[in-house]
PDB file of all heavy atoms in Angstrom:
ATOM      1  N   ASN A1191      24.150   6.188   9.108  1.00 96.00           N
ATOM      2  CA  ASN A1191      23.855   7.514   8.502  1.00 96.00           C
ATOM      3  C   ASN A1191      22.506   7.666   7.921  1.00 96.00           C
ATOM      4  O   ASN A1191      22.267   8.615   7.195  1.00 96.00           O
ATOM      5  CB  ASN A1191      24.959   7.835   7.505  1.00 96.00           C
ATOM      6  CG  ASN A1191      26.329   7.906   8.076  1.00 96.00           C
ATOM      7  OD1 ASN A1191      26.527   8.356   9.188  1.00 96.00           O
ATOM      8  ND2 ASN A1191      27.322   7.385   7.336  1.00 96.00           N
ATOM      9  N   GLY A1192      21.575   6.777   8.180  1.00 98.00           N
ATOM     10  CA  GLY A1192      20.250   7.026   7.598  1.00 98.00           C
ATOM     11  C   GLY A1192      19.328   5.781   7.563  1.00 98.00           C
ATOM     12  O   GLY A1192      19.400   4.943   8.438  1.00 98.00           O
ATOM     13  N   THR A1193      18.573   5.714   6.502  1.00 98.00           N
ATOM     14  CA  THR A1193      17.553   4.680   6.287  1.00 98.00           C
ATOM     15  C   THR A1193      17.544   4.186   4.910  1.00 98.00           C
ATOM     16  O   THR A1193      17.681   4.995   3.944  1.00 98.00           O
ATOM     17  CB  THR A1193      16.150   5.288   6.666  1.00 98.00           C
ATOM     18  OG1 THR A1193      16.183   5.810   7.972  1.00 98.00           O
ATOM     19  CG2 THR A1193      15.027   4.254   6.500  1.00 98.00           C
ATOM     20  N   LEU A1194      17.354   2.920   4.730  1.00 98.00           N
ATOM     21  CA  LEU A1194      17.067   2.348   3.378  1.00 98.00           C
ATOM     22  C   LEU A1194      15.563   2.180   3.280  1.00 98.00           C
ATOM     23  O   LEU A1194      14.915   1.559   4.095  1.00 98.00           O
ATOM     24  CB  LEU A1194      17.719   1.009   3.192  1.00 98.00           C
ATOM     25  CG  LEU A1194      19.256   0.981   3.085  1.00 98.00           C
ATOM     26  CD1 LEU A1194      19.762  -0.419   2.987  1.00 98.00           C
ATOM     27  CD2 LEU A1194      19.722   1.846   1.924  1.00 98.00           C
ATOM     28  N   LEU A1195      14.991   2.872   2.279  1.00 98.00           N
ATOM     29  CA  LEU A1195      13.578   2.773   1.995  1.00 98.00           C
ATOM     30  C   LEU A1195      13.541   1.743   0.826  1.00 98.00           C
ATOM     31  O   LEU A1195      14.095   1.957  -0.254  1.00 98.00           O
ATOM     32  CB  LEU A1195      12.955   4.119   1.553  1.00 98.00           C
ATOM     33  CG  LEU A1195      11.591   4.117   0.902  1.00 98.00           C
ATOM     34  CD1 LEU A1195      10.603   3.485   1.831  1.00 98.00           C
ATOM     35  CD2 LEU A1195      11.239   5.547   0.574  1.00 98.00           C
ATOM     36  N   ILE A1196      12.769   0.647   1.060  1.00 98.00           N
ATOM     37  CA  ILE A1196      12.716  -0.399   0.047  1.00 98.00           C
ATOM     38  C   ILE A1196      11.258  -0.571  -0.361  1.00 98.00           C
ATOM     39  O   ILE A1196      10.382  -0.770   0.458  1.00 98.00           O
ATOM     40  CB  ILE A1196      13.256  -1.736   0.586  1.00 98.00           C
ATOM     41  CG1 ILE A1196      14.723  -1.566   1.006  1.00 98.00           C
ATOM     42  CG2 ILE A1196      13.088  -2.881  -0.432  1.00 98.00           C
ATOM     43  CD1 ILE A1196      15.239  -2.653   1.910  1.00 98.00           C
ATOM     44  N   ASP A1197      11.011  -0.432  -1.608  1.00 98.00           N
ATOM     45  CA  ASP A1197       9.639  -0.593  -2.202  1.00 98.00           C
ATOM     46  C   ASP A1197       9.577  -1.891  -3.015  1.00 98.00           C
ATOM     47  O   ASP A1197      10.407  -2.155  -3.845  1.00 98.00           O
ATOM     48  CB  ASP A1197       9.325   0.539  -3.211  1.00 98.00           C
ATOM     49  CG  ASP A1197       9.183   1.896  -2.538  1.00 98.00           C
ATOM     50  OD1 ASP A1197       8.088   2.171  -2.026  1.00 98.00           O
ATOM     51  OD2 ASP A1197      10.166   2.646  -2.555  1.00 98.00           O
ATOM     52  N   LEU A1198       8.556  -2.653  -2.733  1.00 98.00           N
ATOM     53  CA  LEU A1198       8.211  -3.755  -3.595  1.00 98.00           C
ATOM     54  C   LEU A1198       6.827  -3.524  -4.054  1.00 98.00           C
ATOM     55  O   LEU A1198       5.897  -3.407  -3.236  1.00 98.00           O
ATOM     56  CB  LEU A1198       8.288  -5.141  -2.894  1.00 98.00           C
ATOM     57  CG  LEU A1198       9.648  -5.575  -2.441  1.00 98.00           C
ATOM     58  CD1 LEU A1198       9.605  -6.843  -1.603  1.00 98.00           C
ATOM     59  CD2 LEU A1198      10.540  -5.755  -3.623  1.00 98.00           C
ATOM     60  N   PHE A1199       6.642  -3.339  -5.364  1.00 98.00           N
ATOM     61  CA  PHE A1199       5.350  -2.950  -5.905  1.00 98.00           C
ATOM     62  C   PHE A1199       4.945  -4.047  -6.927  1.00 98.00           C
ATOM     63  O   PHE A1199       5.654  -4.299  -7.920  1.00 98.00           O
ATOM     64  CB  PHE A1199       5.508  -1.605  -6.657  1.00 98.00           C
ATOM     65  CG  PHE A1199       4.200  -1.033  -7.135  1.00 98.00           C
ATOM     66  CD1 PHE A1199       3.378  -0.291  -6.262  1.00 98.00           C
ATOM     67  CD2 PHE A1199       3.824  -1.227  -8.463  1.00 98.00           C
ATOM     68  CE1 PHE A1199       2.188   0.270  -6.760  1.00 98.00           C
ATOM     69  CE2 PHE A1199       2.628  -0.637  -8.911  1.00 98.00           C
ATOM     70  CZ  PHE A1199       1.802   0.031  -8.084  1.00 98.00           C
ATOM     71  N   TYR A1200       3.821  -4.707  -6.632  1.00 97.00           N
ATOM     72  CA  TYR A1200       3.310  -5.784  -7.483  1.00 97.00           C
ATOM     73  C   TYR A1200       2.019  -5.280  -8.112  1.00 97.00           C
ATOM     74  O   TYR A1200       1.151  -4.685  -7.408  1.00 97.00           O
ATOM     75  CB  TYR A1200       3.017  -7.021  -6.668  1.00 97.00           C
ATOM     76  CG  TYR A1200       4.131  -7.495  -5.751  1.00 97.00           C
ATOM     77  CD1 TYR A1200       4.215  -7.081  -4.474  1.00 97.00           C
ATOM     78  CD2 TYR A1200       5.084  -8.428  -6.239  1.00 97.00           C
ATOM     79  CE1 TYR A1200       5.235  -7.529  -3.614  1.00 97.00           C
ATOM     80  CE2 TYR A1200       6.106  -8.854  -5.418  1.00 97.00           C
ATOM     81  CZ  TYR A1200       6.193  -8.396  -4.126  1.00 97.00           C
ATOM     82  OH  TYR A1200       7.199  -8.821  -3.291  1.00 97.00           O
ATOM     83  N   PHE A1201       1.820  -5.612  -9.349  1.00 96.00           N
ATOM     84  CA  PHE A1201       0.546  -5.218  -9.979  1.00 96.00           C
ATOM     85  C   PHE A1201       0.255  -6.131 -11.128  1.00 96.00           C
ATOM     86  O   PHE A1201       1.130  -6.834 -11.671  1.00 96.00           O
ATOM     87  CB  PHE A1201       0.522  -3.752 -10.431  1.00 96.00           C
ATOM     88  CG  PHE A1201       1.467  -3.474 -11.598  1.00 96.00           C
ATOM     89  CD1 PHE A1201       0.989  -3.451 -12.878  1.00 96.00           C
ATOM     90  CD2 PHE A1201       2.826  -3.262 -11.399  1.00 96.00           C
ATOM     91  CE1 PHE A1201       1.807  -3.155 -14.006  1.00 96.00           C
ATOM     92  CE2 PHE A1201       3.662  -2.974 -12.453  1.00 96.00           C
ATOM     93  CZ  PHE A1201       3.159  -2.917 -13.719  1.00 96.00           C
ATOM     94  N   GLU A1202      -1.037  -6.182 -11.455  1.00 93.00           N
ATOM     95  CA  GLU A1202      -1.540  -7.009 -12.576  1.00 93.00           C
ATOM     96  C   GLU A1202      -2.582  -6.203 -13.277  1.00 93.00           C
ATOM     97  O   GLU A1202      -3.442  -5.608 -12.662  1.00 93.00           O
ATOM     98  CB  GLU A1202      -2.071  -8.307 -12.066  1.00 93.00           C
ATOM     99  CG  GLU A1202      -2.177  -9.419 -13.056  1.00 93.00           C
ATOM    100  CD  GLU A1202      -2.586 -10.794 -12.391  1.00 93.00           C
ATOM    101  OE1 GLU A1202      -2.336 -10.917 -11.194  1.00 93.00           O
ATOM    102  OE2 GLU A1202      -3.162 -11.527 -13.154  1.00 93.00           O
ATOM    103  N   SER A1203      -2.413  -6.089 -14.568  1.00 91.00           N
ATOM    104  CA  SER A1203      -3.399  -5.378 -15.344  1.00 91.00           C
ATOM    105  C   SER A1203      -4.481  -6.276 -15.836  1.00 91.00           C
ATOM    106  O   SER A1203      -4.263  -7.497 -15.987  1.00 91.00           O
ATOM    107  CB  SER A1203      -2.711  -4.740 -16.607  1.00 91.00           C
ATOM    108  OG  SER A1203      -1.712  -3.840 -16.213  1.00 91.00           O
ATOM    109  N   PRO A1204      -5.639  -5.701 -16.062  1.00 91.00           N
ATOM    110  CA  PRO A1204      -6.785  -6.529 -16.649  1.00 91.00           C
ATOM    111  C   PRO A1204      -6.447  -6.769 -18.152  1.00 91.00           C
ATOM    112  O   PRO A1204      -5.432  -6.337 -18.655  1.00 91.00           O
ATOM    113  CB  PRO A1204      -7.976  -5.661 -16.488  1.00 91.00           C
ATOM    114  CG  PRO A1204      -7.477  -4.259 -16.397  1.00 91.00           C
ATOM    115  CD  PRO A1204      -6.089  -4.354 -15.807  1.00 91.00           C
ATOM    116  N   TYR A1205      -7.345  -7.442 -18.779  1.00 88.00           N
ATOM    117  CA  TYR A1205      -7.315  -7.634 -20.272  1.00 88.00           C
ATOM    118  C   TYR A1205      -6.347  -8.718 -20.777  1.00 88.00           C
ATOM    119  O   TYR A1205      -5.906  -8.678 -21.891  1.00 88.00           O
ATOM    120  CB  TYR A1205      -7.068  -6.325 -21.036  1.00 88.00           C
ATOM    121  CG  TYR A1205      -7.980  -5.188 -20.574  1.00 88.00           C
ATOM    122  CD1 TYR A1205      -7.388  -4.036 -20.102  1.00 88.00           C
ATOM    123  CD2 TYR A1205      -9.354  -5.322 -20.602  1.00 88.00           C
ATOM    124  CE1 TYR A1205      -8.220  -2.953 -19.619  1.00 88.00           C
ATOM    125  CE2 TYR A1205     -10.155  -4.278 -20.171  1.00 88.00           C
ATOM    126  CZ  TYR A1205      -9.610  -3.148 -19.672  1.00 88.00           C
ATOM    127  OH  TYR A1205     -10.349  -2.101 -19.227  1.00 88.00           O
TER     128      TYR A1205
END
Side-chain angles (χ1 to χ4, degrees):
N1191 300 321
T1193 302
L1194 290 177
L1195 169 57
I1196 301 163
D1197 292 278
L1198 293 175
F1199 187 84
Y1200 308 93
F1201 68 97
E1202 201 172 334
S1203 297
Y1205 312 120

